[in-house]
Amino acid sequence: MLQSPEVTQVFCIPGNGGTATLPRCRNFAMSVDDFEGIGCLASVQGVSLVVIGPEQPLAAGITDYLRQQNLTVFGPTQAGAQLEASKSWAKTLMLAADIPTAKSATFTTVAAARAYIAAQGAPIVVKADGLAAGKGAIVAPTLETAIAAAETLWEQGHKTLVVEEYLEGEELSVFALTDGKSTRLLLPAQDHKRIGEGDIGDNTGGMGAYAPAPLGTPALLARVEQEIIQPTVQALAGRRIDYRGVIYAGLMVTPSGDPKVLEFNCRFGDPEAQAVLPLLETPLHTVLLACACQTLDQLPPLTWQPGFAACVVAASPGYPGDYPKGAPITGLAEAETDTSFVYQAGTQLKQQQLLTSGGRVLGVTGLGDTLTVAVERAYDAIQKIDFTGIYYRRDIAWRALSTARGDGQTDTG
Ligand code: AMP
Ligand code: GLY
């Protein structure tokens, strides 16, 4: 946002150790649930655009509240945020609009879920209906693990369960920006959800990403737009839902090359955004404001820097389980160059010392003419950063690199 020429200042709520030190940026130690406080701050400061990052305040209706205060907001209303906040609601919408997705059923008792799982067989996927901070989907290889997953989610308080057909293929994240009428697709990205190299181990929020993912060919993206994004926007509008924000389609590209929706999110993906947005040449503020003001159709086509970006996430030891906080972070200045940037996540500034304060601490994005170079630059940079127990995967972008798709002259766009 600060790189957009029209932006003079950014206020972050609550912000982190990175936004605390950025020039023209200020943190406010408020909760994202404090709608009144946020509305008051934005009005007093004369903020021209409020961008809502995370899903929880969107699902809780922050956009509805701030619009009532006459603020200009990028982010869907509470009704629109159901796309992410209720998987069964999203499934019903997809079914009605004929959007390709895994076959599924919704249950409000464990017994019914268990019977359905037994009838369907494994592998199968069990999901919590509501927001679960990335821990609500369990891919179960056997009937026993599927039933155990349903019981665990239930005991955790998820009283609506979605049981879904297991889809094979390769995952792709596609973000569409919309003002509720027009849409603009961003470059496709691939996330790395598992903690371990080779995509093994526990699910995380995402350990790295790269863009544009060669899996998202122009032909595939055209289908995603026609078969998934446009019908979604129309279905939302048909329900009189005012959706101005990101539609994040988490897709499975099946072995036959068909895109199917695994999930929708109502926000940017993390860390995919740290790979996609550095390549965007059009000022971000211009695009988000056009969504918020419903003038997206008047905007010229988005322009992108050629080449690739790869983001590697550094996590605290133990993540996605329990992890320590408060470890001093060093080497950030050395890591930043013209082609490598550090995006801080779980950090805080205490007495001028940058400390870890979350599971995913930061991400380092490298840019390059080829994916290989982008990845090398990200790793060259992240090597210079240190904190006690720093962990990062060494194989970000392995899928694209192992098929050399990222290095061909033919499909780099
Ligand atoms: P979700 O929170 O729905 O995106 O699910 C988290 C992860 O679980 C996805 O990124 C996939 O890796 C996996 N997943 C979810 N749904 C399915 C499915 N129907 N088939 C196979 N894998 C799935
Ligand atoms: N990277 C996955 C997510 O943001 O949900």
Side-chain angles (χ1 to χ4, degrees), residues 249-279:
L251 304 173
M252 189 67 92
V253 182
T254 66
S256 53
D258 297 315
K260 294 192 177 182
V261 178
L262 291 177
E263 65 162 348
F264 280 127
N265 294 316
C266 60
R267 52 171 173 82
F268 285 104
D270 172 9
E272 295 97 311
Q274 292 92 301
V276 172
L277 296 181
L279 296 171

Side-chain angles (χ1 to χ4, degrees), residues 87 124-140 149 153 156 158 162 164 193-194 202-204 262-263:
K87 293 201 191 279
I124 197 160
V125 185
V126 184
K127 298 183 177 183
D129 182 59
L131 296 179
K135 298 206 165 80
I138 295 132
V139 179
L153 287 172
Q156 287 168 354
H158 298 288
V162 175
E164 188 173 288
K193 293 240 157 108
R194 305 299 187 103
D202 288 343
N203 253 323
T204 71
L262 291 177
E263 65 162 348

Side-chain angles (χ1 to χ4, degrees), residues 36 51 54 109 182 188 206 211 219 240 261 281 325 380 407:
E36 227 174 287
V51 179
T109 67
S182 301
R240 297 177 169 275
V261 178
E281 276 177 348
K325 293 182 182 179
D380 281 347
D407 293 320

Side-chain angles (χ1 to χ4, degrees), residues 38-55:
I38 292 169
C40 194
L41 173 73
S43 300
V44 168
Q45 298 285 350
V47 165
S48 58
L49 175 66
V50 185
V51 179
I52 313 297
E55 65 277 16

